[in-house]
Amino acid sequence: MVSSEKSRRAGTPAPSARTRGRPRSFDRATALEKALMAFWEHGYEATSVSDLTRVMDIGAPSLYAAFGDKRSLFEEVVQEYGVRYGSFGNRALAEEPTARAGIERMLREAAAEYTAPGRPHGCLVIHAAANCSTAEVEESLRERRNANIAAIESRIGADVAAGVLPSDTDAAALARYTGAMIQGMSQQARDGASRAELEALAEIALTVWPRA
């Protein structure tokens, strides 16, 4: 074996402790996407730090350095999910001319998104809360779901005020009903319901919608 002194004389630097201890570099966006898929598939509680380091292909020190603890990573995952996979509902409400048209589009797109091949089925924000015993995470997810229902109620209320829907329309109940449909479709997708089956369910759901 060549000594460190001989290596230096030969022009080859000896490995330093700093070099040996440096964490392996990785692509942060790719690691985040892998964490997203793990949480989406298994939920928050059932996904351990060791599960995350395995699927993300990084060590625990790298995970903590790049993302913080498990809860911080999950919060970032939820943000990323909302941008990449969960924004179809808000777009539908914003882009369609009426609340009914927005809800119809939302339900149809939910049927497609929740059953898309190559990724977990259903909605991460709905599924990740199942069997969750971490109060802060459970509350954060609940707030997100309730915010979605509030956005639907606001859109329905605007149509009531504009005369598009009857004045006696119960905007809060109709929004809550729509939220229940979305959450139910998510669970049914995880239970194996097909896109066509969920689209048929959405069609039935729309029959209760009031007419002006």
Side-chain angles (χ1 to χ4, degrees):
M1 181 178 292
V2 180
S3 69
S4 297
E5 184 63 31
K6 290 181 179 178
S7 295
R8 283 192 291 273
R9 284 202 299 267
T12 303
S16 66
R18 181 178 179 182
T19 301
R20 289 194 301 270
R22 185 170 56 196
R24 185 181 60 160
S25 61
F26 64 94
D27 183 84
R28 192 180 189 280
T30 299
L32 181 63
E33 177 71 5
K34 291 177 179 179
L36 188 156
M37 291 297 165
F39 281 124
W40 193 353
E41 178 64 33
H42 303 291
Y44 178 80
E45 206 69 36
T47 305
S48 67
V49 171
S50 60
D51 292 331
L52 291 166
T53 57
R54 176 176 51 82
V55 299
M56 297 166 77
D57 195 25
I58 61 175
S62 294
L63 186 153
Y64 291 126
F67 300 101
D69 59 11
K70 174 184 168 181
R71 182 179 161 195
S72 298
L73 171 59
F74 181 70
E75 289 173 356
E76 187 169 348
V77 157
V78 171
Q79 293 286 346
E80 182 73 4
Y81 174 84
V83 172
R84 296 193 58 188
Y85 302 104
S87 60
F88 63 89
N90 289 335
R91 287 199 307 269
L93 290 178
E95 295 174 2
E96 295 301 322
T98 65
R100 187 187 191 282
I103 297 303
E104 179 177 7
R105 173 176 160 184
M106 181 189 301
L107 293 176
R108 293 188 182 282
E109 292 191 6
E113 291 291 333
Y114 292 169
T115 59
R119 65 190 196 213
H121 286 177
C123 171
L124 180 148
V125 175
I126 295 170
H127 173 62
N131 301 317
C132 181
S133 61
T134 304
E136 296 83 359
V137 172
E138 187 179 23
E139 178 61 23
S140 175
L141 294 173
R142 183 186 301 114
E143 288 176 357
R144 284 180 173 274
R145 295 192 299 272
N146 286 335
N148 290 337
I149 293 174
I152 295 171
E153 181 180 350
S154 177
R155 187 68 179 84
I156 295 171
D159 274 13
V160 173
V164 177
L165 290 171
S167 60
D168 61 350
T169 299
D170 189 334
L174 195 53
R176 184 72 58 184
Y177 168 79
T178 303
M181 292 302 306
I182 288 286
Q183 291 173 26
M185 290 171 70
S186 172
Q187 184 57 53
Q188 290 202 17
R190 293 192 66 85
D191 288 343
S194 68
R195 174 178 177 176
E197 288 171 330
L198 294 183
E199 286 177 341
L201 182 63
E203 194 70 32
I204 295 171
L206 290 167
T207 62
V208 308
W209 202 268
R211 300 284 185 175

